[in-house]
Amino acid sequence: MADTISVTQLNQRVRSILSESPAVKDVWVVGELSNLKKYPSGHYYFTLKDNTSEIKGVMFKPSRSRIDFEPQDNMKVTAFGRVDIYVERGSYQFVVETMQRSGVGDLYLAYEALKNKLEAEGLFDPSRKRPLPPYPKVIGVVTSPKGAVIHDIITTTRRLFPADILLYPALVQGEGAAGSIVKGIEALNREGVDVIIVGRGGGSIEDLWAFNEEVVARAIAASKAPIISAVGHETDFTIADFVADLRAPTPTGAAELALRDRKEVLKHLDTDMIRINRSLSMILGRMHHRFEMLDSKLDPKRAEQRVSMYSMRLDDLNSRMGSALKDKIEVVRRRFIRLDSSMDIHVRRMLENDSKDLRRYSERLESINPMKVLDRGYTLVTDESGTALTSSRQLKPGAGINVIMKDGKAEAEVKKVEMR
Amino acid sequence: MEIEEMTFEESLKTLEQLVSELENGNLDLDKALEIYERAIILRDRCRKILDESDRKVRMMIETSEGVKKEDFVIE
């Protein structure tokens, strides 16, 4: 019997033959990456394949510094290296020392060509950009139902103006992605959403390719609802970004562009109410002054009646102003808490003065309390709900009325009405 | 239009018109009070919309019978 050798020895022999063979040493191999696994050790394991064959591959950590891109599945590459045997398993693999992406050049050419074509058509013109609705009721989102984009949008919108979200679950990568995105834009338009966010996370130019396809660009241009694009990283511009009405750097940014901050809107409302209160204070002050003049110069009885009538309404108003005042004090307090913010002093002073004005006015209202009129022997007639009646035309026979005097009231019924 | 049926945008726009009316017009008290009352209702309407918590997040599903929408919850 000839010499026997161990399995290990056999594998070692194969290994030494292979390692000396120039046919499988220092070769450039064209193929596509798949089953890429990145290990904590820093080594990359993958399969390199073409249409009919495949070979296991590995790229050790030190070699990784030689490449200027992040390898990904489905990426076409040209890899340089040698074939080696993994003795323990008797399997052979391609040990990659460096690699280059291939096919990318074609994609860039296609991108540039389409970009130039659509730009010449005017699809990127600033004049085509539509303003976003300030307070949308429904936001449409075209993106994957899995992944960070929809998650970030939903999370962010919680602190924004409340709007419904309608998601169209789209394929955002690979075969059929462009068609799926187009269908999403069309479907959301049929639903009548107010604004649409089209998004996906970052990736290689191949991953983002659907957003560089003409059908997607055309669908964005044809959309009735304004479109915000949030595709890839801030530095990647896709054709979709150029056609969209607005481009957001991230999905969170897109949500913030679509909806205003809830707190800002509340602040805006408060400011409106402050302006209203101030105007009203001025008008009330002016009226009060005029009645005082009337009181002294004209028929004192008629003037008195009118004063009492207005006093009733002022009283009612006074109580409402009270709550408006409370709101305002709250606003002032909140602003003080935020002293460190860049809120300008002018606004704070305005609010302070405003509170003082209101308080002063409340005191003045007190001085024309209708009860003081009653003290002088007048009565006040109201309907059953308490609304002051000032004309005989407001009375009907049989109707219940209240007669209010300085020290009590009577419920009465109208017997007969005579108008003059 | 009834205030209860107004959108947020319509309510806010109406409120802002009232503010300028009150600020610019030389109004009598009756008219001013009327405006004030309406402004309070509009403010309340706006706040109600802002505080709405039943915001819907739904996903469209296309079936042979047409479009369905179901609640969507993030994991």
Side-chain angles (χ1 to χ4, degrees):
Chain A
M1 200 163 83
D3 285 348
T4 57
I5 56 169
S6 67
V7 175
T8 305
Q9 282 168 319
L10 178 62
N11 280 351
Q12 278 166 345
R13 282 186 193 180
V14 177
R15 187 170 196 238
S16 74
I17 292 168
L18 276 178
S19 64
E20 278 156 30
S21 164
V24 292
K25 204 171 116 186
D26 297 344
V27 284
W28 285 97
V29 180
V30 183
E32 197 181 291
L33 295 175
S34 63
N35 293 321
L36 177 69
K37 292 196 177 67
K38 301 173 180 178
Y39 274 73
S41 58
H43 306 326
Y44 286 177
Y45 296 90
F46 45 85
T47 302
L48 198 60
K49 63 178 188 184
D50 59 20
N51 289 336
T52 48
S53 286
E54 57 182 57
I55 182 172
K56 294 258 184 259
V58 60
M59 187 170 204
F60 294 114
K61 191 180 176 187
S63 306
R64 272 178 44 205
S65 60
R66 297 198 192 103
I67 56 172
D68 58 359
F69 62 95
E70 197 52 37
Q72 284 178 346
D73 278 340
N74 306 320
M75 202 177 255
K76 286 199 176 64
V77 295
T78 309
F80 177 83
R82 62 193 156 83
V83 172
D84 195 9
I85 287 272
Y86 184 36
V87 174
E88 285 82 346
R89 291 190 182 277
S91 64
Y92 73 99
Q93 58 188 2
F94 191 54
V95 180
V96 176
E97 280 166 32
T98 187
M99 57 182 158
Q100 292 168 356
R101 302 179 65 183
S102 49
V104 177
D106 295 345
L107 288 182
Y108 279 115
L109 285 178
Y111 172 91
E112 283 301 324
L114 181 60
K115 189 176 157 214
N116 291 338
K117 175 180 161 187
L118 298 181
E119 191 162 22
E121 276 184 41
L123 243 60
F124 307 160
D125 275 7
S127 63
R128 288 193 82 256
K129 310 285 182 204
R130 292 157 297 179
L132 302 180
Y135 303 102
K137 285 178 121 168
V138 185
I139 299 183
V141 182
V142 179
T143 193
S144 163
K146 295 170 189 126
V149 175
I150 189 64
H151 179 277
D152 289 354
I153 289 174
I154 292 172
T155 314
T156 307
T157 50
R158 285 187 190 133
R159 62 176 168 80
L160 303 175
F161 181 82
D164 289 348
I165 292 176
L166 187 56
L167 166 69
Y168 183 92
L171 276 173
V172 290
Q173 167 174 355
E175 195 81 21
S180 174
I181 294 162
V182 170
K183 270 172 72 184
I185 293 170
E186 289 169 353
L188 288 173
N189 267 295
R190 278 194 298 275
E191 292 293 320
V193 302
D194 300 306
V195 58
I196 297 174
I197 298 173
V198 179
R200 73 146 278 154
S204 66
I205 185 169
E206 292 97 330
D207 291 341
L208 302 182
W209 193 250
F211 297 89
N212 288 323
E213 291 204 27
E214 187 165 353
V215 281
V216 171
R218 300 268 176 217
I220 291 174
S223 172
K224 209 166 140 264
I227 291 198
I228 304 173
S229 70
V231 182
H233 295 301
E234 193 161 3
T235 47
D236 313 320
F237 267 88
T238 62
I239 303 281
D241 291 321
F242 292 116
V243 192
D245 295 285
L246 212 53
R247 180 196 184 236
T250 60
T252 299
E256 284 166 343
L257 287 172
L259 296 172
R260 299 181 183 205
D261 189 278
R262 195 192 289 248
K263 279 196 196 121
E264 289 300 317
V265 180
L266 271 172
K267 206 188 280 175
H268 185 112
L269 265 183
D270 286 343
T271 310
D272 277 353
M273 293 318 288
I274 288 168
R275 285 169 63 190
I276 281 214
N277 279 344
R278 193 190 301 126
S279 299
L280 196 65
S281 295
M282 275 167 60
I283 292 169
L284 289 171
R286 209 163 57 221
M287 293 308 285
H288 191 153
H289 183 64
R290 256 169 60 191
F291 283 130
E292 278 171 353
M293 303 267 289
L294 277 177
D295 206 1
S296 57
K297 287 187 184 158
L298 298 172
D299 172 16
K301 243 185 200 169
R302 273 198 68 187
E304 194 78 58
Q305 275 173 4
R306 295 190 61 182
V307 169
S308 73
M309 183 183 95
Y310 279 116
S311 292
M312 286 294 285
R313 288 193 67 176
L314 287 173
D315 230 21
D316 177 38
L317 183 67
N318 191 14
S319 66
R320 297 192 198 199
M321 290 267 264
S323 63
L325 183 67
K326 256 180 260 155
D327 292 346
K328 195 144 37 133
I329 289 169
E330 177 59 18
V331 172
V332 174
R333 196 180 61 79
R334 255 185 282 148
R335 299 238 170 157
F336 274 125
I337 289 169
R338 293 172 51 190
L339 261 177
D340 58 328
S341 75
S342 57
M343 193 57 67
D344 71 292
I345 285 170
H346 175 74
V347 173
R348 273 207 308 274
R349 195 166 298 147
M350 184 190 91
L351 287 164
E352 270 183 275
N353 289 341
D354 229 74
S355 297
K356 274 189 215 137
D357 283 355
L358 267 183
R359 232 175 264 136
R360 201 161 48 232
Y361 197 70
S362 297
E363 283 156 18
R364 283 173 65 186
L365 284 174
E366 198 51 45
S367 71
I368 52 166
N369 188 318
M371 291 308 148
K372 292 202 172 149
V373 184
L374 299 183
D375 277 347
R376 280 178 258 163
Y378 291 92
T379 59
L380 185 70
V381 177
T382 73
D383 65 13
E384 285 172 313
S385 67
T387 305
L389 299 174
T390 55
S391 161
S392 56
R393 278 163 234 287
Q394 292 171 280
L395 299 173
K396 284 200 175 61
I401 53 170
N402 294 322
V403 179
I404 299 162
M405 305 185 85
K406 72 170 177 182
D407 52 359
K409 75 165 192 175
E411 287 176 17
E413 195 181 297
V414 177
K415 275 191 173 168
K416 189 178 165 196
V417 180
E418 280 176 31
M419 297 181 200
R420 79 182 142 82
Chain B
M1 189 193 286
E2 290 297 316
I3 289 176
E4 291 72 35
E5 290 163 17
M6 284 186 181
T7 63
F8 185 87
E9 200 172 342
E10 287 160 349
S11 306
L12 193 65
K13 210 171 141 202
T14 313
L15 177 60
E16 256 146 29
Q17 280 164 358
L18 294 183
V19 175
S20 3
E21 213 177 314
L22 210 53
E23 281 180 344
N24 302 331
N26 204 0
L27 301 169
D28 66 25
L29 189 56
D30 272 325
K31 184 72 185 156
L33 292 181
E34 211 175 280
I35 288 179
Y36 186 81
E37 277 161 2
R38 212 167 142 72
I40 297 268
I41 298 171
L42 285 163
R43 190 266 317 259
D44 292 345
R45 165 80 183 148
C46 288
R47 281 201 176 158
K48 198 180 150 221
I49 295 175
L50 275 174
D51 291 339
E52 257 168 24
S53 52
D54 61 339
R55 194 179 66 120
K56 286 194 275 293
V57 178
R58 288 176 303 173
M59 179 163 78
M60 283 180 81
I61 294 171
E62 287 176 308
T63 65
S64 49
E65 287 121 57
V67 175
K68 275 200 314 190
K69 288 175 220 165
E70 62 179 41
D71 288 345
F72 181 78
V73 185
I74 46 174
E75 292 128 37

